[in-house]
Amino acid sequence: MSVHKITLIAALGATLAFGTLYASAQEKYGFGRSVDADEVARYDGDIHTDGTGLPAGSGNVALGAEIFEIQCALCHGENLEGVRAMGAGSMHEGRRDIELLPYATSLFDFIRRAMPLTDPGTLSNDEAYGLVAFLLNETGVVDDANLTLDAASLAAIKMPNRPNFIIDPASRFTAEDLKDN
Amino acid sequence: MKTDLINKPTRRHFMQAGVASSAALLSSTALAQETTLIPSRGPGDTIDGSVTYASRSPFVKDGKMRGSANGLSGGGITPLQNSQGMVTPSGLHFEVHHSGVPEIDPSEHKLLIHGLVGDDKIFTMEDLMRFPSVSHFHFLECAGNGMGEWMGPRGQTVQQTHGLTSCSQWTGVSLKVLLNELGVRGDAKWLLAEGDDGARMTRSIPMWKAMDDAYLAYAQNGEFLRPEQGFPLRLIVPGFEGNMNVKWIRRLEVGDKPWWTHHEVTEYADPRPDDKIRAYSFVMEARSVITSPSAGMKLNGPGFYEISGLGWSGAGTVSKVEVSTDGGNTWQNANLQAPVLPKCHTRFTMPWNWDGKETTIMSRTTDDTGYTQPTYDQMYKLQGPIGMMHNNAIQNWHIAQDGEITNVRS
């Protein structure tokens, strides 16, 4: 009981300090360790659709093509057709068509954290930028064999299929839930 | 079937006769010699103190079908054809992985919650288990359950057609309690949940759902999670597609917008026939399937059979399951076995006398939101040729005159 009293006082203090918080009647338990921004940064590698989180560095189509040949083609095929025996589908058509993506940020985020499948998290930022440039050019989303991407230019890409992503009533969500920018 | 019914009473009569005569003629040795008792099987296996976790009888072979083209992305499907009741044994729970199954020491596992909260905090497993706990029975279903059936009947058994759904009792800590502990800012609308597998699986979760009924589970069916179910900690987002129930969860970021992560925009969104893509189709809508008799089984002649199956809904509670044994012409309400819980498998049964004629049997669920499981024809109006996820259409099993059961479309 006494522990709860102490945490309750701490909770009052916290509520005063953060006036904008949702009102909550819950008493504070006080478990867990508060962390500073530096420690958060060591965990937080995701990329937001507005480009927040994109790292420094840059890469072009040529760099991407080179890395793709060495590290990716084994599973994804020389022409992005996908090697079924390796469990990878086409990036040109069907569900995994790069052209269907609503944001280029998702592509960067996914490649950098999850690929190559057998060695995730090993690509440099330059390589990840280059691979996105290569894939966008190869699939015709951005028709530019000299495309070079960095944080600003990648965040600025408008994917042509974005307007086709909709909330329909069958989703049981409203357009308000979808608002993303 | 017939011989069984005859044999059972006969054996019972024989034993009753044995008891009666030995009581009446206790001293008679003549009769005792005539009656040969079934010999005792003698003492069983010795009780081995080194076996601390029981395994199944060697006669029970029932198992998941597991596999992966590359060893890392893939999983295993639940043998629903032999399922009983509503709970899936933890060892038979379906699994889908995108970067293999990590081995995580719980004493080293940490969960960071940060972003639009009053205080960014890291919790150890010990911290999380000190919070008040919640326990719920909930089903989990992969959005891709039945995707192989979209273009036509392919699965040979209900395991192959529907084996990406399972149901467990999960225990953990409510997200609402954790988020209130840190204090959520008024502009917070979404959460990013991130797993600690190699691929760092990430999904955006709407804040209203997190505050409604989502929780972080550390236990499944009374024991700690299995590694392939996210040990030591996974997210449970009741009724939402399996992929959102992020396993091995290491981080929750509170934000004001969804992240549109790779998995939520490609694989798990639903392309419609008009080339629009239905985003945020998170809810696993009402569905059911007859698990017995089902494809791959054979009826042993006309007579009584219990039709048994599972119904569920990610939007609420199953209010009824109807069964048709005449190809969808007439429907009858099945019995719902207690307990009938929200966002949970519900076992249904219906007595049936098969007349030995060719027919098709099927089931459909209605939930307490009034939604009824659709037919394939209805589904095809909603989703296009590559929109094969979230396939909750009615499943037909064809019964041939010889009792053979197969997967058919109509």
Side-chain angles (χ1 to χ4, degrees), chain A residues 28 30 46 95 106 178 180, chain B residues 180 251 257 260 267 386:
Chain A
K28 302 280 171 177
D46 65 70
R95 306 187 60 77
S106 317
L178 179 65
D180 64 315
Chain B
N180 281 341
R251 187 165 74 92
K257 287 174 241 157
W260 294 82
E267 280 151 72
I386 58 166

Side-chain angles (χ1 to χ4, degrees), chain B residues 238-258:
Chain B
F240 279 18
E241 60 190 14
N243 184 249
M244 298 176 78
N245 297 258
V246 172
K247 293 175 287 193
W248 315 290
I249 190 166
R250 72 193 280 267
R251 187 165 74 92
L252 278 167
E253 180 170 346
V254 180
D256 58 353
K257 287 174 241 157

